[in-house]
Amino acid sequence: MRTRTIAVILTAAVGLGLLTGRFVLPPRSAPGGSSPTTGAAATAPGTRAAAPKPAGGPVTNGNLLTADAFAKAGVSRRIHVRDRVGDGRYANAACAGEKTLGETLGGPGAHFRGFVTTEDTDADDPTLALDIRDQVAREVAADAGSPALARNYAQRLLLEEVPCQTEPATHWVYGPTRTIDVAAGITASWLGSYAGELNTTGAAPRGKEPCGGFAVLRSGSHYGVLEVDACLDTAAMTRIVRAAVTRL
């Protein structure tokens, strides 16, 4: 009786399938008896991380990179963080000269943060290691007061470094400008650094990885620069620059 009933049910199902143009079998059970999980169920609505918003207002230490960011980028040595607020040299002196941020842009003091692997730092500027080999990086950031002015400052700071993309052979040189757009109003541009022995044509060699570099950051009304002395390649530089501008 049971077999006959099942046959009747299946015959009816096939008949309905023919009438409607489709025949749907019951879903296959997942291994172990568990229910299958669809992609929609795996990611609940509204759980996607919100895009960062452009910054505004005074820059604080919380807007600057942390030592942990460099550890994630591959720097294994212990890093000491040194902070100060004021004015001072802000970029590669061999390219931009010994000018201070105030001399270049004017305005109030900025936040300076040095990442060093030594306790021996400059008495006048603790964000700078006495031995350049102990300098991992240095970040300088400030609030321009408006997004338009921050954009202007960032452009000027970047243009100041661009001439160093062309240098006589055997002189250290910057590579091409790379841009990272995180969100509307949050962007960064960086140039990789190449040692003189790699510069045989007056420009950065093609197909070679940089060894650190220089970045200009902008988020809303905040702007800044990040000079990386640690020998980070393209992937690591991209990661650290993105982290910096996202925090800014």
Side-chain angles (χ1 to χ4, degrees), residues 23-130:
F23 179 67
V24 181
L25 291 173
R28 183 187 303 175
S29 297
S34 61
S35 299
T37 302
T38 64
T43 304
T47 59
R48 181 181 298 178
K53 296 181 179 180
V59 170
T60 68
N61 286 342
N63 295 117
L64 305 181
L65 277 173
T66 64
D68 183 60
F70 288 93
K72 291 179 179 178
V75 178
S76 59
R77 291 195 294 172
R78 181 186 176 187
I79 297 175
H80 304 275
V81 178
R82 297 291 180 264
D83 292 303
R84 72 176 182 84
V85 177
D87 195 10
R89 180 170 67 81
Y90 58 90
N92 194 320
C95 180
E98 291 288 351
K99 294 180 296 182
T100 69
L101 194 65
E103 289 172 339
T104 299
L105 303 176
H111 281 249
F112 288 71
R113 172 166 288 184
F115 300 89
V116 297
T117 59
T118 179
E119 298 286 351
D120 298 325
T121 57
D122 191 308
D124 297 322
D125 188 345
T127 67
L128 291 170
L130 290 178

